[in-house]
Amino acid sequence: MKVANILSALALMLFTSVQVFGNTESEQAEKFNPTETIMEHIKDAHYWHFFDKKDAEGNLHPVAMPLPVIVYANNQLDVFMSSKFEHGHATVTCGTNQYILHHEKIYLANQYGQMEFDEAGNPTNVAALDFSITKNVASMMLSAVLLLLIFVGSARAYEKHGQVPTGLRGFTEPLILFVKEDIAEPNLGKNADRFLPYLLTVFFFIWINNMLGLLPASANLTGNIAVTFTLSFITMILTNVFASKHYWIEKFSMPGVPWWLQPVMTVVEFIGVISKPFALMIRLFANISAGHIIVLSLISLIFIFQTVFIAPVSIAFVLFMDVLELLVAALQAYIFTMLSALFIGLAVNMGAEHEH
Amino acid sequence: MDLVTPAVGLIFWTVLIFLILVFLLYKFAWGPILGMVNKRTKSIEDALNAAEIARKEMANLKAENDQVLKEARIERDKILNEARELKEKIIAESQEKAKAESQKIIDQALALIENEKRAAINELKNEVATLSVEIAEKVLGKELADKQSQSALIDDLLKQSKL
């Protein structure tokens, strides 16, 4: 997404510089709003947007891949391509439902086929239940296919080329063993094998999506709260479903705590049950999004200053940030997996050390 | 606020895709890969154990060889000693025998010499007797001539008959 921005920035820069040097034609129409641009890039979208093209009249046309829209409203499920919205310029009518795409959210139009806003400018229309294959979903599917290709390919290679890890396996096997021996086994002990498939999948899923997020025109998947919420929710479920009985006993009668303090401790313990995965969710979301925001802000400098001379500085900083983000991509995947293993391990193995 | 509000649709798709991904990867990637890695770990362990056993067997074999060699050496020494003793015995025996033989030869020689001596003495005696008789005859033939010449004759005769 960031590098995408560099490309679209370069493309845009050409036009803007033409504007700057060759006298402006529509200055007020092209007023650059960095916050809006950055937020648009951070958030999910119903198009896979690549870049904007300017036609002969000076109007910007987005070059984007339309994605399937799946909406449910008024007991009616509608499926159509997002190109029907014409980038939010058109309403889509399906039977009795009329949909409007407003700031990447799909609303039902009012009886006049329009959006309604309250005094604060927030839409008052009913939002449709949106199950669209958005940019993030498409990117997630792509990453799933990549993961399957890489790791099923690695697994096949063991059957075809023997047990010595050559080729692709020279890369994948040490990583798999790293997750097994340095993340799962120290935290989960003898229970490591039960949770290893989840830990391996979550590690490589986060890592590959973090890295895909750095590619041009890609989605900000792991910087999306819904995705990090889902992953941390799965960790929470695993933690509590597979917890040992001591884990629950300690929730209600912690040893060494006076009886009158126990209700307070129980409340605190249950806050802990929520806050641990909550921290996982926020950490991944904030780290990845923050990285994207920094890179986008650096690129935005070019457009804020409206000069091409700031570009080398921006590009140097963005390059630095991208390399840093590459490190963060691996680091955040490691931290998420590590803490998941730690939380699950604490719950599953609690009391095991008293038994022998 | 949109940024931190999880979208229901995305949650739905994440759950669906992620769970399918966990299942597929477990079935076709993690399972086979970890199985193969465990198998390999085990085969390496087995190979190391086998090498250890082979090493021990080699050590045993070497010890056995050493033992056999040591016994062979003792046996050899024993045989050599016996041979040496036998040799010495044979030499001593033959020396003894030779000694006895030579003694016997000497004895025989001595006996022969004795016999010869005796025979010689007898012969001498006979000779002496014959000589005496001859002398006596000659003496008796020439008697009376003179006393002086008589004794000279005797001396002469005695000189002639010197043995």
Side-chain angles (χ1 to χ4, degrees):
Chain A
M1 177 176 255
K2 295 154 198 172
V3 192
N5 253 297
I6 298 179
L7 286 181
S8 53
L10 286 173
L12 261 172
M13 198 171 67
L14 287 172
F15 297 116
T16 7
S17 53
V18 165
Q19 279 187 330
V20 170
F21 299 116
N23 208 355
T24 52
E25 297 157 30
S26 51
E27 213 170 300
Q28 74 282 10
E30 293 287 331
K31 186 76 180 148
F32 181 67
N33 183 350
T35 315
E36 199 178 296
T37 311
I38 290 169
M39 284 308 147
E40 254 171 39
H41 279 94
I42 292 292
K43 281 199 267 179
D44 203 357
H46 287 83
Y47 289 89
W48 199 314
H49 183 255
F50 298 109
F51 53 88
D52 286 337
K53 219 167 114 182
K54 190 175 267 188
D55 64 11
E57 286 114 48
N59 296 317
L60 283 173
H61 290 289
V63 175
M65 185 172 75
L67 294 163
V69 174
I70 304 163
V71 277
Y72 183 82
N74 300 331
N75 297 324
Q76 188 180 327
L77 188 74
D78 294 313
V79 180
F80 52 90
M81 293 305 282
S82 63
S83 50
K84 279 197 174 177
F85 281 121
E86 290 169 16
H87 297 274
H89 299 305
T91 58
V92 177
T93 314
C94 294
T96 55
N97 288 349
Q98 207 176 7
Y99 301 108
I100 300 176
L101 184 66
H102 177 76
H103 285 255
E104 287 303 336
K105 267 183 102 171
I106 296 173
Y107 296 95
L108 285 167
N110 62 7
Q111 64 266 41
Y112 310 114
Q114 279 169 340
M115 292 293 295
E116 285 175 341
F117 300 97
D118 59 12
E119 293 87 37
N122 295 319
T124 53
N125 296 51
V126 181
L129 210 50
D130 187 358
F131 291 103
S132 306
I133 309 290
T134 56
K135 188 178 175 183
N136 276 338
V137 177
S139 176
M140 197 184 333
M141 287 172 172
L142 177 73
S143 72
V145 169
L146 281 175
L147 285 173
L148 285 171
L149 282 177
I150 293 169
F151 291 103
V152 176
S154 294
R156 288 273 157 84
Y158 283 95
E159 287 157 27
K160 275 191 207 156
H161 307 297
Q163 296 182 341
V164 181
T166 52
L168 180 65
R169 286 175 295 162
F171 175 71
T172 56
E173 197 191 295
L175 290 171
I176 293 169
L177 290 181
F178 168 71
V179 175
K180 180 182 183 319
E181 286 163 9
D182 291 323
I183 296 179
E185 281 168 4
N187 291 308
L188 286 152
K190 61 182 181 352
N191 285 310
D193 285 352
R194 287 167 71 196
F195 298 99
L196 202 49
Y198 168 67
L199 294 174
L200 281 167
T201 312
V202 86
F203 178 77
F204 289 109
F205 180 81
I206 293 173
W207 193 18
I208 201 165
N209 278 305
N210 283 349
M211 289 198 292
L212 284 178
L214 299 173
L215 288 176
S218 60
N220 176 28
L221 184 66
T222 41
N224 189 296
I225 196 88
V227 175
T228 61
F229 166 79
T230 310
L231 295 178
S232 51
F233 191 73
I234 294 172
T235 294
M236 190 181 92
I237 289 191
L238 289 175
T239 307
N240 292 294
V241 168
F242 292 99
S244 70
K245 63 174 187 285
H246 292 270
Y247 174 82
W248 294 109
I249 290 169
E250 290 205 4
K251 292 267 175 292
F252 295 103
S253 72
M254 195 173 275
V257 171
W259 63 268
W260 51 269
L261 200 59
Q262 191 53 55
V264 182
M265 287 311 293
T266 304
V267 170
V268 169
E269 280 289 311
F270 275 93
I271 290 171
V273 169
I274 306 294
S275 69
K276 282 176 191 169
F278 189 81
L280 276 183
M281 169 177 88
I282 296 297
R283 184 181 296 107
L284 183 59
F285 157 75
N287 269 289
I288 303 304
S289 285
H292 285 217
I293 289 169
I294 291 169
V295 170
L296 290 166
S297 306
L298 287 166
I299 291 167
S300 296
L301 285 179
I302 301 167
F303 303 98
I304 292 166
F305 289 110
Q306 297 242 323
T307 165
V308 76
F309 299 112
I310 200 82
V313 182
S314 272
I315 289 171
F317 275 108
V318 169
L319 187 63
F320 169 74
M321 277 309 296
D322 269 335
V323 176
L324 192 69
E325 282 301 297
L326 209 56
L327 173 73
V328 170
L331 197 67
Q332 287 304 322
Y334 169 68
I335 290 172
F336 193 98
T337 316
M338 185 74 182
L339 290 177
S340 289
L342 184 74
F343 296 156
I344 297 171
L346 280 177
V348 173
N349 294 334
M350 189 172 276
E353 63 268 23
H354 305 308
E355 279 164 16
H356 51 79
Chain B
M1 203 53 213
D2 256 8
L3 198 62
V4 289
T5 313
V8 180
L10 192 51
I11 291 175
F12 166 78
W13 285 109
T14 311
V15 170
L16 191 70
I17 294 172
F18 187 79
L19 291 185
I20 291 172
L21 191 65
V22 170
F23 174 75
L24 288 179
L25 283 175
Y26 169 66
K27 189 106 175 138
F28 298 110
W30 312 139
I33 290 173
L34 292 172
M36 201 57 86
V37 168
N38 287 341
K39 208 173 113 189
R40 196 179 57 204
T41 309
K42 207 178 163 295
S43 84
I44 291 171
E45 257 171 27
D46 287 351
L48 286 176
N49 287 342
E52 182 64 21
I53 287 166
R55 207 180 59 80
K56 274 183 186 156
E57 268 176 15
M58 273 301 281
N60 281 349
L61 217 62
K62 199 168 169 286
E64 255 170 46
N65 276 352
D66 284 351
Q67 187 62 29
V68 168
L69 214 65
K70 207 171 139 193
E71 276 169 14
R73 207 168 279 145
I74 289 167
E75 190 74 12
R76 187 197 65 184
D77 287 351
K78 208 173 113 191
I79 289 167
L80 277 179
N81 281 340
E82 275 175 11
R84 196 175 293 127
E85 274 165 24
L86 199 67
K87 185 191 81 179
E88 275 163 12
K89 204 172 133 199
I90 287 166
I91 289 172
E93 265 175 18
S94 53
Q95 272 177 348
E96 202 71 28
K97 220 168 164 186
K99 221 181 198 169
E101 197 70 23
S102 57
Q103 194 60 47
K104 209 168 127 196
I105 292 166
I106 291 169
D107 287 352
Q108 278 174 354
L110 284 175
L112 201 66
I113 291 167
E114 191 66 25
N115 287 347
E116 289 295 318
K117 204 171 101 186
R118 226 162 259 156
I121 289 170
N122 284 343
E123 205 177 321
L124 192 63
K125 271 178 187 163
N126 292 343
E127 201 70 32
V128 167
T130 322
L131 209 58
S132 312
V133 169
E134 280 173 12
I135 292 168
E137 274 171 9
K138 279 172 186 167
V139 168
L140 284 171
K142 261 185 160 186
E143 217 177 4
L144 302 166
D146 104 54
K147 249 211 181 151
Q148 247 185 338
S149 56
Q150 200 177 341
S151 47
L153 185 69
I154 292 167
D155 282 347
D156 188 37
L157 287 170
L158 275 174
K159 262 176 201 163
Q160 277 173 22
S161 64
K162 205 131 201 179
L163 296 168

